[in-house]
Amino acid sequence: MNPAQQHAHDAARFTELVDAADDWSRPSPVAGWTALDVVKHLVEWSRGFLAGAGIELPAVDVAADPVAAWHQHVADIQAILDDPAGRVLSNPHTGDRPVDEAIDQFYTADVWMHTWDLAKALGREPDLGEQRCRAALAGMKPMEQVLRDSGQFGPAVPVADDASAQTALMAFLGRDPAWSG
């Protein structure tokens, strides 16, 4: 899939959860975060990140209306991906990258992984896809120390050697795969 297609796919799966949420105060597997915080995180950091490409998106109020804010946010990001217009995103941590590639690698991947968190917060069992989880884990393991030092991930949670790829990935990220709220 190209970046626009991948985002449309991953955002649709996350949107299904957003649309089904009935209690935004439910705890999530991310320590100290609620279901609302998961959505807020994805909206807020990505909009700031896009400033590196000279893209200023209108503010959305996630706390006031998480569903409307998420739908607006998805439409805003999809519009950029559908017509990246040769824009380049400059970031001191990632360098200069075409905006669609930067969104795909950093933001869309984050939507995909946080789908697990929101699903768990809502009492659902997420399925991120074994093959994609296996590939993500294989790509992250060589950079483990850099990832841990970034503060973005907690300490790895031990799992059985024969754990599913999704379980192993979530444990690597610092999530308790058995978390149930």
Side-chain angles (χ1 to χ4, degrees):
M1 282 190 234
N2 68 34
Q5 293 166 329
Q6 190 66 61
H7 177 262
H9 173 78
D10 291 343
R13 293 186 72 214
F14 194 87
T15 299
E16 287 175 18
L17 295 169
V18 168
D19 289 344
D22 59 354
D23 180 359
W24 289 104
S25 66
R26 292 180 67 147
S28 85
V30 181
W33 281 16
T34 63
L36 178 65
D37 293 321
V38 175
V39 176
K40 203 170 171 189
H41 162 75
L42 289 169
V43 170
E44 290 178 354
W45 86 258
S46 60
R47 288 171 108 72
F49 181 68
L50 289 170
I55 299 170
E56 296 290 330
L57 297 173
V60 293
D61 190 345
V62 178
D65 188 343
V67 176
W70 177 253
H71 280 267
Q72 181 62 55
H73 180 68
V74 168
D76 291 343
I77 299 296
Q78 193 65 47
I80 295 164
L81 290 168
D82 288 341
D83 183 16
R87 291 177 280 203
V88 172
L89 189 139
S90 297
N91 183 285
H93 304 290
T94 64
D96 292 349
R97 311 216 24 206
V99 71
D100 56 337
E101 289 178 18
I103 290 170
D104 186 54
Q105 183 176 4
F106 300 104
Y107 170 72
T108 303
D110 208 32
V111 171
W112 171 67
M113 286 188 270
H114 281 300
T115 297
W116 189 88
D117 297 318
L118 186 56
K120 287 292 219 175
L122 300 177
R124 297 179 178 210
E125 278 307 313
D127 179 5
L128 299 182
E130 285 296 292
Q131 184 177 0
R132 191 168 175 194
C133 288
R134 194 173 298 106
L137 187 57
M140 290 179 179
K141 277 191 172 182
M143 310 182 296
E144 181 170 4
Q145 197 55 54
V146 172
L147 295 172
R148 301 258 178 256
D149 291 347
S150 75
Q152 299 298 311
F153 305 109
V157 174
V159 293
D161 291 341
D162 64 348
S164 72
Q166 177 175 287
T167 296
L169 176 62
M170 290 301 111
F172 177 83
L173 297 176
R175 305 292 197 273
D176 176 359
W179 188 90
S180 64

